[in-house]
Amino acid sequence: RQAGRSQLERRRRKLETVLGDGPAIAACLSDTRFLPPLSQRVQLSFPYHVATREMDLRAILVDIFRTSSLGPRALLGDDYEQALSLLHTVPGYCGRVDGGSDDHRPATHSPFNKAYKRVFGAVAERGTSSDCELHGRFARALKNFARQVLAPLLGVSADDVLYQAVPVLRCSHPSAKATGILHNDYDSNNHQPAELNIWIPMNRAFGANTLYVESAPNASDFSPIELGYGNAVRFWGNQCRHHTVPNTTSVTRVSLDLRAMARHTFNGNFFDSKGRPGER
């Protein structure tokens, strides 16, 4: 019953509009109190330390992948770069026993993505102690990343960073189809304009396996983000459009993307692009 009421509430909010929504929408996009500073709207690549376990997100992610239905033998050894780059060759990755990629099955349906989702639902759903332990390790590493890396990047104290607790996992395997359509996060996902995208590759991102981003809203000068593990990029994906292209490389790109903002830029009276009270 509770789930049913929640669904009805979400539907009500989706249909709800506000009087004078035009001015309300315009205010949310023009009030500088709720926008990132001009200097932070510019794309910036930056390194971060991964030598210590406290921020080694990749090692934890591999441990999560090893709990997938394919079993721990799917990712053997300590060469995480190679293991992730060849993820698409693991038998069963795309539902095929020959290890080949399947253009008709999105990577979001792979056993590795399912393991990631399972671990992050472990606490709420009273999952296994192993899943809860992995969830805790990842949450601590991400918190360290937010406090030690994102806070200085946003020009705020360690306690004044708001960040996405569960980053979105992206696995772009070799395929004739692109995994991400052209969009910005404001129009497509109803995110607040103060949010900045933090894109963190877990292995080498280059050429056709990576993300393409324009330098400014509607600039249409899309260029690929080319980085390796231990580096990340900040960009204003709320207004700058981004997309992927068919991955014609022989390398699967694994990455995490999250949104972050300074606490003081959060808009408690946010209206999305359709004039609805925002939930994000």
Side-chain angles (χ1 to χ4, degrees), residues 44-58:
L44 175 70
S45 299
F46 58 92
Y48 64 98
H49 297 292
V50 295
T52 58
R53 289 177 58 85
E54 65 178 6
M55 281 197 294
D56 195 351
L57 294 168
R58 182 167 72 176

Side-chain angles (χ1 to χ4, degrees), residues 88-102:
H88 59 283
T89 67
V90 175
Y93 169 75
C94 287
R96 288 171 47 173
V97 296
D98 61 1
S101 63
D102 185 345

Side-chain angles (χ1 to χ4, degrees), residues 34-233:
F34 307 119
L35 294 173
L38 289 173
S39 61
Q40 294 180 12
R41 302 178 200 178
V42 179
Q43 185 180 136
L44 175 70
S45 299
F46 58 92
Y48 64 98
H49 297 292
V50 295
T52 58
R53 289 177 58 85
E54 65 178 6
M55 281 197 294
D56 195 351
L57 294 168
R58 182 167 72 176
I60 305 170
L61 187 62
V62 168
D63 284 346
I64 292 174
F65 283 2
R66 285 172 172 163
T67 70
S68 77
S69 60
L70 300 181
R73 295 185 61 82
L75 289 169
L76 294 175
D78 296 324
D79 189 345
Y80 299 156
E81 180 73 24
Q82 183 179 33
L84 295 180
S85 296
L86 298 178
L87 208 62
H88 59 283
T89 67
V90 175
Y93 169 75
C94 287
R96 288 171 47 173
V97 296
D98 61 1
S101 63
D102 185 345
D103 290 343
H104 301 292
R105 183 170 183 177
T108 51
H109 296 168
S110 80
F112 300 118
N113 287 69
K114 290 179 179 179
Y116 183 79
K117 293 177 181 178
R118 189 199 69 243
V119 164
F120 281 99
V123 175
E125 298 175 7
R126 297 182 180 180
T128 66
S129 59
S130 174
D131 283 353
C132 290
E133 189 269 337
L134 285 168
H135 181 282
R137 282 175 57 199
F138 193 97
R140 288 190 295 273
L142 189 62
K143 184 176 182 178
N144 287 328
F145 179 80
R147 295 176 67 86
Q148 298 176 33
V149 180
L150 297 186
L153 204 65
L154 299 177
V156 296
S157 70
D159 294 324
D160 289 321
V161 181
L162 301 180
Y163 64 94
Q164 191 173 340
V166 183
V168 180
L169 171 65
R170 309 287 189 190
C171 297
S172 175
H173 58 256
S175 174
K177 295 184 178 181
T179 58
I181 62 172
L182 181 67
H183 72 286
N184 68 36
D185 291 349
Y186 175 75
D187 292 321
S188 296
N189 302 317
N190 304 322
H191 286 242
Q192 294 206 13
E195 288 184 345
L196 293 166
N197 294 54
I198 310 297
W199 197 80
I200 315 169
M202 297 290 103
N203 62 323
R204 185 184 172 213
F206 67 98
N209 83 354
T210 191
L211 183 68
Y212 285 68
V213 184
E214 61 183 353
S215 63
N218 299 312
S220 297
D221 54 349
F222 298 95
S223 61
I225 296 176
E226 299 193 319
L227 298 170
Y229 185 58
N231 296 274
V233 66

Side-chain angles (χ1 to χ4, degrees), residues 251-267:
V251 174
T252 289
R253 180 260 301 163
V254 180
S255 58
L256 298 173
D257 58 89
L258 62 90
R259 282 82 181 174
M261 66 166 72
R263 185 183 299 275
H264 68 270
T265 62
F266 178 81
N267 186 352

